[in-house]
Amino acid sequence: MLDHGDTLRTFIALPLPGDWTATLEDVIDELDSAAPAGVRWVRPSGIHLTLKFLGATDPALVSRILDGLLDSVGGAPGPALSLSGLGTFPNRNNPRVIWAGVSGDMETLANLQQRVETLAVGLGWAAERRPFRPHLTIGRVRDRISPRERKRLVTAISNCAVPRLPSWRPDAVRLYKSELTPRGAIYTNLGEVEI
């Protein structure tokens, strides 16, 4: 790979439908009003289901990635998915990342993710060592949060219910560019493949 100054920061993900984005915006608003200012919330329009984080990417590889996605996932069955509550990484008592869960046809989703993983490894990226844990990141907890604020946050997450929505079947896999700014990440669609 090239020097980071000559590369794009990219990832492959499933874009969400409008009703999921609107629901997650309501969840974020509820948590934001109940939780401390020690959380950086994700813009609802930027929430997505990541299949593979690529990171530093030579711009010349974008067309090869998109062609590879067409070959590996184009026309693949999309899983029927539902929103399924809130959680945190690494654990409930010490949240660093706040996420909304995904449930439903996990076997089809895992198969789709594995196809993307195989493509990325074939193009030179390292294989992911961690197991695939599908989730939708909605917030990141700042380092400076006090123990008292952390406790309030944990309580707010426990008390927040994610409304049930009709299941959703993704119809595209998208390659995104991510630009990190002081106001949060900005995501740009570099291309997508229908599934």
Side-chain angles (χ1 to χ4, degrees):
M1 291 284 157
L2 302 173
D3 175 44
H4 288 290
D6 299 328
T7 63
L8 305 173
R9 185 175 190 266
T10 66
F11 62 92
I12 298 168
L14 300 173
L16 300 185
D19 59 341
W20 281 38
T21 301
T23 295
L24 292 172
E25 183 172 17
D26 292 343
V27 167
I28 289 169
D29 288 346
E30 180 180 337
L31 289 173
D32 189 40
S33 67
V39 179
R40 186 181 55 205
W41 300 106
V42 176
R43 282 189 291 269
S45 62
I47 300 172
H48 51 269
L49 178 54
T50 301
L51 299 174
K52 175 71 175 175
F53 178 75
L54 300 173
T57 304
D58 184 335
L61 285 177
V62 168
S63 62
R64 286 186 59 200
I65 295 168
L66 292 170
D67 288 345
L69 284 173
L70 184 61
D71 291 341
S72 61
V73 303
L81 301 174
S82 298
L83 283 174
S84 63
L86 298 177
T88 60
F89 292 138
N91 59 57
R92 179 68 77 171
N93 294 324
N94 185 28
R96 304 288 301 148
V97 173
I98 304 165
W99 49 262
V102 177
S103 62
D105 187 0
M106 294 292 99
E107 185 175 336
T108 302
L109 178 60
N111 180 275
L112 184 66
Q113 187 276 333
Q114 188 55 53
R115 290 177 185 212
V116 170
E117 179 73 18
T118 300
L119 165 66
V121 170
L123 290 174
W125 274 272
E128 181 60 57
R129 292 189 306 240
R130 297 172 295 184
F132 178 55
R133 294 178 65 183
H135 64 279
L136 308 168
T137 299
I138 62 171
R140 291 178 177 83
V141 181
R142 299 178 194 273
D143 289 335
R144 69 176 190 272
I145 190 169
S146 73
R148 183 170 176 232
E149 290 172 323
R150 188 175 305 280
K151 185 174 181 179
R152 283 183 55 207
L153 176 60
V154 168
T155 300
I157 293 168
S158 297
N159 292 337
C160 183
V162 177
R164 294 203 49 82
L165 295 174
S167 66
W168 159 64
R169 194 174 295 274
D171 59 4
V173 173
R174 190 173 284 173
L175 175 64
Y176 285 96
K177 176 177 77 168
S178 172
E179 296 175 83
L180 301 179
T181 74
R183 296 180 132 180
I186 298 171
Y187 304 123
T188 303
N189 177 5
L190 297 177
E192 64 185 32
V193 170
E194 291 184 7
I195 58 172

